[in-house]
């Protein structure tokens, strides 16, 4: 089937437009956090109030909702940061719409699912990250994560249009399979959740350092905006939720990949570099879940394992795709 | 939540029966003590964690260093390129990571640990499933989540404690809890009538979410199943490669394979005797010359005539990438392709010493291919032709190249090597057809008039004399071949089934919440006071909402009770729990 180059061109322009709008959203998210940091003194007072409030309470389960209430109240004291957050969210939605349109047009231009090469993996993967973020927002107010989600999305798109760019074209026969559709799309969703979970784990560790410093009577250093974020305990729980949603999806990715491998090469498990790394990622996150359930291991050490898992995920995409020789080098 | 409830007796207020991992103490002296100690170490969560981490690390080298099972040719290239490091890596098994002693040791230890860990847990869980939920603890306010509501006297639930408890029973059953009505249940040991745990105690115990633990156990056991399937697969499967030239027939017996490997349980004498003839092979490449996709593969379609068993009627089957041919469970996969120029070599005596297709090996995306024809029975001298086949011939800076993968202007360009009879001719390193060839002693390269090695350039339909009166070579025509992987693996259904079971199990384990709920009804001043309390295992932020919802369903018209915990409840979704206001969170 012929490639519609005009559609592909339009898709490229949309990618650039989305990047511009994402940049605005990113700026607004940063401004929002900075604005909160500027009132850190106020928030610290709030923190102390928060610590006083649940005296006699047996539970920490309610912490997250109560915590975000405090955040919202604090943010409401001056409407400037609220406004920044509002702008950030509007821009994120706008960028998301442009981004989705770009991906759809790319798919239409080549008459297939738009994930057949690195450029398409990156653009479509990034749109899934935004989508998952927006979906999570419907249930949990984690807008404070915005900058840490849109940042990686922008970075991915930047890499896509510079390093990975590939002309719109048909797929090589080795990639023509429904399993490409299933295997890759689920991998996208899992990776998006892992990405947001990773950002949350990083924040959790930073937050914990500040809390420890404060407990030791020192004033924590830079990054006062952190005071506007939930406590490390709550961040840890959010991160865990994201990871447990991602883990079975990654497991499914492995299984779907094995089914496809069987159809393509006859052997469902070949230990080719891509498979090795997918397996390593799975084991690393299994270790994370184990660590969290292991007595004597705390959220911090588990978080390091989650970050190790994410490092493997990045390596799988950025390093293995380029340097390893294996069956996944997409030619026959 | 655990810190608050840990250390309580196992009656109702916690799940300690599951947390039975004993502390690992210093071993008592004596070999048995040490053994027990080692076993406890191995089957602890901590060891499982360490082994999982080790497994992740140990799997990595196999993606960096070339592997024998993938490509032995690259292994020997690597050995050539790293004369000091290479042999060490070889000794340590780095070229066969996934069958190496250390890799196997890690996963076997992990699975031993798994069995040692999961079996006792399964026993505990079976007991828990068979047992009724425990009696209600004395003081429900001590549980992490609790709500008290007053059912006013005029309302249905407020009529009596029995009416309130019946409403609670109905609400809990609707939510698919397993319930024990403590009004009628036999007393707990040592309890007296009317008191908590005794006859007629006006409370209900309920529990649900056993699936979480069941799923967890199923997951761990299913992983074991995956491992067993893999092991069985390596014993009971066979696989091999065959190159099938257009027009020729492959018969499924060991001699027709170019390479063949089988597990111990396979009787290689009785492979299913089907045959497949390559009738047609359509190969297409991108011809649009804008963009970077020019020459990229577009279509591979091999049409076979298959005879499923001797004497059966032939059928036609089309094989393409991702669409193998299936003959009673043995599958043929199209994994490669290339050109097979048909040559005729006449020797110095004028006899046809060779006639047939020569399999060439593609070296680049435009199918510049390595071609080697050995003619050992030529007289008076043995002949070998070594060179390249170029489907679309061109010269770039004097170097012959192919510009496109299709045969638009094919050429065969060969050097001629000659040897006396009986001399061992060309020496290929085994298994590495793409690697450099070595000349055997006694082979000499024929030189041209300019003193350089003689090059013969042939187009289809042309022929050329060989030097020294060694004979002639003619390039009669061009065919293609299909490289097929042929494989039978009876374990794959089991591997898939156990892997899916693991997936379902872990999902249940992560998302199903194990919850215990207790309801107690007490006569109050102007109605019945109903207290609902809940307890969970692990991470469950929605427990408060669940407890509130059960309370609301039991006593729809209920109002707040002056309760040591604190002030008035605001609405349905904001309930008073633990003196802290919480908005309902659904997750
Ligand atoms: C092949 C190796 C193993 C893998 C891939 C694996 C993976 C996992 C995963 C992903 C979970 C999370 C599910 C959840 O949190 O409910 C889990 C839970 C668990 N695993 Fe493993 N595991 C392995 C071996 C073991 C071993 C050897 C033990 C015993 C020492 C063990 C004991 C447990 C326990 C007790 C839990 C439940 C934790 C809890 O929720 O309280 N696992 N495992």
């Amino acid at each position: 089937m012929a490639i519609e180059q005009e559609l592909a061109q339009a898709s490229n322009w949309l990618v650039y437009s989305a990047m511009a709008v994402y940049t605005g959203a990113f700026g607004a998210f940063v401004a929002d956090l900075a604005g909160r940091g500027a009132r850190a003194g106020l928030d610290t007072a709030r923190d102390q109030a928060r610590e006083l409030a649940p005296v006699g309470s047996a539970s920490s389960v309610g912490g997250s909702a109560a915590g975000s209430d405090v955040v919202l109240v604090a943010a409401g004291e001056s409407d400037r940061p609220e406004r920044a957050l509002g702008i950030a969210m509007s821009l994120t939605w706008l960028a998301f719409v442009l981004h989705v349109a770009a991906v759809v047009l790319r798919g239409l231009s080549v008459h297939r699912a738009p994930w057949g090469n690195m450029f398409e993996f990156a653009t479509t993967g990034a749109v899934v990250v935004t989508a998952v973020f927006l979906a999570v927002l419907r249930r949990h107010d984690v807008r404070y994560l915005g900058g840490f989600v849109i940042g990686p999305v922008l970075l991915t798109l930047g890499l896509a249009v510079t390093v990975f760019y590939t002309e719109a074209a048909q797929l090589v026969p080795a990639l023509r399979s429904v399993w490409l559709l299933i295997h890759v799309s689920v991998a996208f969703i899992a990776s998006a959740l892992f990405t947001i979970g990773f950002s949350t784990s990083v924040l959790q560790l930073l937050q914990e350092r500040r809390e420890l410093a404060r407990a030791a009577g020192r004033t924590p250093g830079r990054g006062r905006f952190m005071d506007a974020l939930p406590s490390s305990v709550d961040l840890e729980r959010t991160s865990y939720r994201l990871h447990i949603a991602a883990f079975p999806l990654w497991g499914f990715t492995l299984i779907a990949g094995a089914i496809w491998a069987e159809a393509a090469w006859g052997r469902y498990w070949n230990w080719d570099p891509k498979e090795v790394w997918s397996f390593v990622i799975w084991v690393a996150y299994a270790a994370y879940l184990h660590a969290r359930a292991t007595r004597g291991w705390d959220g911090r050490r588990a978080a390091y394992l989650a970050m190790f898992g994410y490092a493997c995920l990045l390596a799988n995409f950025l390093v293995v795709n380029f340097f390893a020789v294996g069956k996944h080098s997409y030619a026959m | 939540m655990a810190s608050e409830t840990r250390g309580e007796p196992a009656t109702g207020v916690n799940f300690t029966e599951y947390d039975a991992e004993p502390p690992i103490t210093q071993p008592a002296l004596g070999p048995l003590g040490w053994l027990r100690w080692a076993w406890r170490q191995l089957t602890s969560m901590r060891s499982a964690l360490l082994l999982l981490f080790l497994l992740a690390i140990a799997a990595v080298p196999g993606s960096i260093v070339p592997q024998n099972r993938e490509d032995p040719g690259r292994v020997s290239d690597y050995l050539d390129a790293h004369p000091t490091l290479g042999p060490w890596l070889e000794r340590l098994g780095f070229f066969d990571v996934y069958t190496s002693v250390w890799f196997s040791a890690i996963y076997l230890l992990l699975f031993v640990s798994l069995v040692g860990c999961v079996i006792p847990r399964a026993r505990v869980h079976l007991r828990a499933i068979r047992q009724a939920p425990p009696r209600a603890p004395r003081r429900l306010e001590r549980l992490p989540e609790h709500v008290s509501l007053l059912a006013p006297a005029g309302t249905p639930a407020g009529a009596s404690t029995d009416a309130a408890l019946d409403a609670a029973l109905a609400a809990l059953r609707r939510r698919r809890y397993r319930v024990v009505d403590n009004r009628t249940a036999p007393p707990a040991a040592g309890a007296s009538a009317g008191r908590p745990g005794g006859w007629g105690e006006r409370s209900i115990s309920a529990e649900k979410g056993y699936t979480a633990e069941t799923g967890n156990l199923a997951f761990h056991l299913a992983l074991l199943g995956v491992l067993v399937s893999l092991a069985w697969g390596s014993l009971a499967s066979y696989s091999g490669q065959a190159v099938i030239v257009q027009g020729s027939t492959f018969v499924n017996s060991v001699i027709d394979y170019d390479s063949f490997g089988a597990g111990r349980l396979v009787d290689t004498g009785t492979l299913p005797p089907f045959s497949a003839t390559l009738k047609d092979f359509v190969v297409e490449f991108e011809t649009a010359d804008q963009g970077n996709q020019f020459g990229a593969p577009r279509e591979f379609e091999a049409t076979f005539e298959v005879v499923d068993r001797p004497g059966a009627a032939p059928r036609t089957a089309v094989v393409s990438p991702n669409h193998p041919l299936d003959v009673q469970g043995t599958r043929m996969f199209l994994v490669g392709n290339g050109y097979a120029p048909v040559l005729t070599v006449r020797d110095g005596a004028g006899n046809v010493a060779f006639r047939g297709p020569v399999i060439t090996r593609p070296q680049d995306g435009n199918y510049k291919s390595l071609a080697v024809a050995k003619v050992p029975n030529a007289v008076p001298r043995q002949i070998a032709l070594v060179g390249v086949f170029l489907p679309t011939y061109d010269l770039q800076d004097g170097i012959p190249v192919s510009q496109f993968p299709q045969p638009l202007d094919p050429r065969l360009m060969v050097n001629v090597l000659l040897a006396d009879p009986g001399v061992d001719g060309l020496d290929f390193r085994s298994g590495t057809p793409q690697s450099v060839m070595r000349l055997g002693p006694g082979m000499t390269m024929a030189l041209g008039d300019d003193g350089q090695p003689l090059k013969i350039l042939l187009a289809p339909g042309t022929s050329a004399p060989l030097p020294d009166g060694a004979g002639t070579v003619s390039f009669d025509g061009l065919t293609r071949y299909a490289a097929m992987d042929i494989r039978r693996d009876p374990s794959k259904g089991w591997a898939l089934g156990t892997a899916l079971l693991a997936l379902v199990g872990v999902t249940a384990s992560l998302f199903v919440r194990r919850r215990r709920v207790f309801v107690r009804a007490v006569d109050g001043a102007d109605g019945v006071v109903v207290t609902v309390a809940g307890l969970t295992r692990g991470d469950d932020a929605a427990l408060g909402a669940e407890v509130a919802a059960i309370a609301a369903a039991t006593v729809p018209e209920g109002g707040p009770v002056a309760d040591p915990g604190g002030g008035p409840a605001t609405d349905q979704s904001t309930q008073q729990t633990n003196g802290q206001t919480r908005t309902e969170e659904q997750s």
Side-chain angles (χ1 to χ4, degrees):
Chain A
M1 230 177 298
I3 303 301
E4 329 264 354
Q5 292 296 346
E6 298 78 38
L7 287 186
Q9 195 52 47
S11 162
N12 290 350
W13 286 116
L14 282 168
V15 170
Y16 284 113
S17 319
M19 285 176 70
V21 182
Y22 274 131
T23 309
F26 182 71
F29 276 122
V30 170
D32 167 54
L33 284 184
R36 294 177 192 208
R39 287 166 297 99
L42 187 146
D43 288 343
T44 313
R46 287 256 153 208
D47 269 358
Q48 282 155 0
R50 194 194 320 180
E51 269 153 35
L52 288 177
V55 165
S57 147
S59 162
S60 63
V61 180
S64 81
S68 48
D69 280 349
V70 172
V71 171
L72 292 184
V73 174
E77 307 250 332
S78 135
D79 59 285
R80 234 256 220 80
E82 239 333 275
R83 211 189 304 145
L85 198 55
I87 293 173
M89 285 313 301
S90 313
L91 289 179
T92 302
W93 272 104
L94 177 60
F96 176 63
V97 170
L98 293 169
H99 196 166
V100 168
V103 168
V104 169
L105 282 192
R106 176 77 178 200
L108 289 177
S109 80
V110 291
H111 311 284
R112 58 171 170 79
W115 47 81
N117 53 50
M118 288 285 283
F119 169 71
E120 293 170 359
F121 284 142
T123 13
T124 309
V127 88
V128 177
V129 173
T130 313
V132 166
F133 176 58
L134 294 173
V136 170
L137 277 178
R138 295 179 64 86
R139 281 195 170 195
H140 306 280
D141 183 8
V142 289
R143 287 180 295 175
Y144 60 84
L145 283 177
F148 303 92
V149 174
I150 302 304
V153 167
L154 258 177
L155 202 68
T156 310
L157 286 180
L159 279 177
V161 295
T162 52
V163 183
F164 304 150
Y165 187 71
T166 313
E167 303 275 339
Q170 285 178 6
L171 284 184
V172 297
L175 284 183
R176 258 178 263 148
S177 161
V178 277
W179 288 104
L180 174 68
L181 205 78
I182 299 167
H183 168 69
V184 178
S185 55
V186 176
F188 279 153
I189 299 172
S191 308
L193 286 164
F194 281 137
T195 303
I196 304 176
F198 168 75
S199 291
T200 317
S201 290
V202 172
L203 290 177
Q204 168 206 335
L205 293 177
L206 292 176
Q207 190 71 302
E208 186 170 339
R209 263 185 48 185
R210 296 176 68 80
E211 285 163 2
L212 287 177
R214 201 164 276 144
R218 281 176 284 124
T219 10
R222 273 175 303 154
R224 291 202 304 183
F225 68 85
M226 293 293 298
D227 292 338
L229 301 188
S231 69
S232 64
V233 171
D234 290 334
L235 286 168
E236 200 278 335
R237 189 171 295 120
T238 304
S239 161
Y240 172 69
R241 298 237 179 94
L242 290 162
H243 282 110
I244 61 171
F247 185 74
L249 291 175
W250 193 259
F252 180 84
T253 304
L254 281 180
I255 294 176
I259 294 175
W260 186 14
E262 199 282 330
W265 310 318
R267 198 192 282 263
Y268 51 84
W269 195 261
N270 297 278
W271 291 113
D272 103 323
K274 203 79 188 169
E275 288 174 346
V276 170
W277 280 89
S278 304
F279 172 75
V280 169
I281 291 163
W282 186 81
V283 173
Y285 281 112
Y288 160 75
L289 293 180
H290 248 227
R292 209 174 167 283
T294 301
R295 190 117 17 110
W297 272 63
D298 49 19
R300 180 160 46 100
R301 284 199 270 177
Y304 286 129
L305 276 174
M307 293 169 74
F308 172 71
Y310 195 70
C312 296
L313 194 80
L314 284 186
N316 192 25
F317 185 68
L318 295 176
V319 183
V320 180
N321 277 352
F322 283 106
F323 297 108
V325 180
K327 299 203 165 186
H328 275 79
S329 31
Y330 300 124
M332 201 178 123
Chain B
M1 67 121 292
S3 63
E4 221 262 335
T5 53
R6 205 167 274 163
E8 303 255 347
T11 51
V13 289
N14 54 26
F15 284 93
T16 42
E17 68 264 36
Y18 283 104
D19 300 340
E21 187 167 287
I24 300 169
T25 46
Q26 279 304 306
L29 288 182
L32 209 68
W34 279 102
L35 261 176
R36 189 172 299 139
W37 177 80
W39 177 247
R40 287 242 188 105
Q41 284 287 358
L42 181 61
T43 57
S44 72
M45 279 287 272
R46 208 178 289 245
S47 309
L49 186 56
L50 179 72
L51 289 168
L52 275 172
F53 188 67
L54 278 181
L55 186 68
I57 303 284
V60 171
S63 74
I64 299 169
V65 181
Q67 297 293 296
N68 273 322
R69 73 196 305 280
E70 279 256 338
D71 193 344
R74 287 187 52 237
V75 173
S76 47
D77 291 349
Y78 188 93
L79 280 170
D80 281 351
H82 301 84
T84 38
L85 183 62
W88 275 105
L89 291 180
E90 185 160 43
R91 233 163 282 157
L92 295 174
F94 273 80
F95 299 119
D96 300 279
V97 166
Y98 306 106
T99 49
S100 68
V101 179
W102 40 276
F103 190 79
S104 314
I106 294 173
Y107 74 75
L108 287 178
L109 273 179
L110 187 54
F111 279 94
V112 170
S113 166
L114 191 149
V115 171
C117 172
V118 165
I119 302 286
R121 272 162 58 93
R123 215 178 291 136
V124 168
H125 185 53
L126 261 179
R127 210 179 305 133
I129 288 179
R130 280 196 307 245
Q131 265 169 6
R135 314 306 296 261
R138 238 161 262 265
R139 296 179 54 206
L140 292 184
E141 322 78 77
R142 292 189 56 190
L143 295 195
E145 295 291 342
H146 59 90
V147 182
S148 290
L149 290 181
L150 176 70
T155 59
S160 67
T161 50
D162 275 333
L165 288 178
D166 287 344
L169 268 183
L172 287 165
R173 289 216 170 99
R174 250 196 320 277
R175 290 169 171 265
R176 311 218 291 164
Y177 276 85
R178 209 169 130 189
V179 292
V180 171
D181 189 340
N182 295 323
R183 288 171 293 181
T184 53
S192 48
R195 311 277 314 186
W199 273 115
E201 214 262 295
R202 316 203 76 62
S203 69
I204 289 167
S205 305
E207 183 157 355
K208 80 166 176 188
Y210 298 86
T211 318
E213 183 71 7
T214 310
N216 187 291
L217 294 171
F219 164 70
H220 284 89
L221 290 175
L223 289 182
L224 204 62
V226 173
L227 186 73
V228 172
S229 306
L230 284 168
W232 180 46
S234 72
L235 290 177
S237 65
Y238 67 82
S239 68
Q241 286 78 41
V243 164
I244 308 177
V245 178
Q246 219 166 332
S248 69
T249 300
F250 166 82
V251 178
N252 190 35
S253 68
V254 176
I255 50 159
D256 249 21
Y257 283 86
D258 298 327
S259 66
F260 183 83
R264 287 216 193 118
L265 301 180
V266 178
D267 178 1
T268 51
T270 60
L271 303 184
F274 66 87
S275 68
T277 306
L278 182 57
K279 287 291 188 192
D280 192 19
F281 193 12
V282 176
V283 177
E284 282 166 18
F285 298 91
E286 182 64 63
T287 50
D289 59 359
Q290 51 336 23
N292 55 7
Q293 294 285 320
F294 182 62
R298 286 294 170 250
E299 201 72 70
F300 300 101
E301 241 180 42
T303 305
F304 282 94
E305 188 177 272
V306 182
V307 178
D308 289 84
R309 67 193 73 77
R315 64 179 168 112
T316 301
V318 176
V319 179
S320 60
N322 291 311
H323 299 280
L325 167 66
D326 194 311
V327 186
Q328 299 147 42
T330 299
R331 312 235 282 170
M332 292 181 69
F333 300 83
L334 178 60
V335 295
N337 71 94
Y339 289 101
V342 181
L343 303 187
T344 302
V345 178
R346 284 174 197 280
D347 63 14
N351 301 319
V352 173
F354 175 89
R355 172 172 284 164
V358 173
I359 307 293
T360 67
R361 307 271 173 181
Q363 306 292 297
D364 65 16
N366 284 329
Y367 285 68
K368 173 180 183 169
S369 308
L370 199 65
V372 176
K374 289 206 272 182
V375 192
N377 52 355
V379 287
R381 309 189 69 187
Q382 299 186 68
I383 305 167
L385 305 170
V386 179
V388 287
F389 171 74
L390 305 157
T392 301
Y393 171 78
D394 196 9
L395 275 178
Q396 246 170 28
D397 305 327
I399 297 164
V401 295
S402 173
Q403 295 284 22
F404 194 68
Q406 295 286 28
L408 304 181
D409 186 15
R411 290 286 188 288
L412 187 65
M413 180 183 261
V414 288
N415 295 123
V416 182
L417 296 157
L418 299 172
D420 291 327
V423 168
D424 194 14
L426 281 171
D427 167 30
F428 292 94
R429 266 185 290 162
S430 55
T432 61
Q434 274 111 323
S435 324
V436 199
M437 278 163 289
R438 291 179 189 144
L439 294 183
M443 295 291 312
T444 47
M445 173 86 75
L447 301 181
D449 297 338
D450 54 359
Q452 295 296 310
L454 175 73
K455 278 204 174 79
I456 295 180
L457 186 65
L458 289 171
T462 62
S463 58
L466 296 172
D468 290 355
T472 58
V473 54
S474 61
F475 181 2
D476 302 335
L478 190 59
T479 59
R480 293 182 194 267
Y481 68 86
M484 310 297 291
D485 271 6
I486 298 134
R487 189 169 172 84
R488 180 187 177 83
D489 183 352
S491 76
K492 65 189 178 195
W494 288 98
L496 180 62
T498 46
L500 287 176
L501 179 62
L503 186 63
V504 172
V506 78
T507 308
S509 152
L510 291 170
F511 289 96
V512 174
R513 264 73 178 256
R514 182 73 175 270
R515 286 166 174 163
R516 273 178 196 161
V517 171
F518 304 101
V519 182
R520 177 168 288 136
V522 185
D523 284 316
D526 29 40
V528 175
V529 176
V530 176
T531 303
V532 181
L535 175 73
T536 185
R537 189 158 174 252
D539 188 87
D540 182 0
L543 179 65
E546 170 86 352
V547 165
I550 292 170
T554 306
V555 195
E557 331 63 3
V561 185
D563 154 74
T570 44
D571 61 30
Q572 285 291 84
S573 66
T574 314
Q575 291 288 352
Q576 197 64 29
T577 44
N578 295 336
Q580 206 181 7
T581 306
R582 153 154 0 95
T583 32
E584 184 164 341
E585 196 178 331
Q586 230 126 40
S587 61

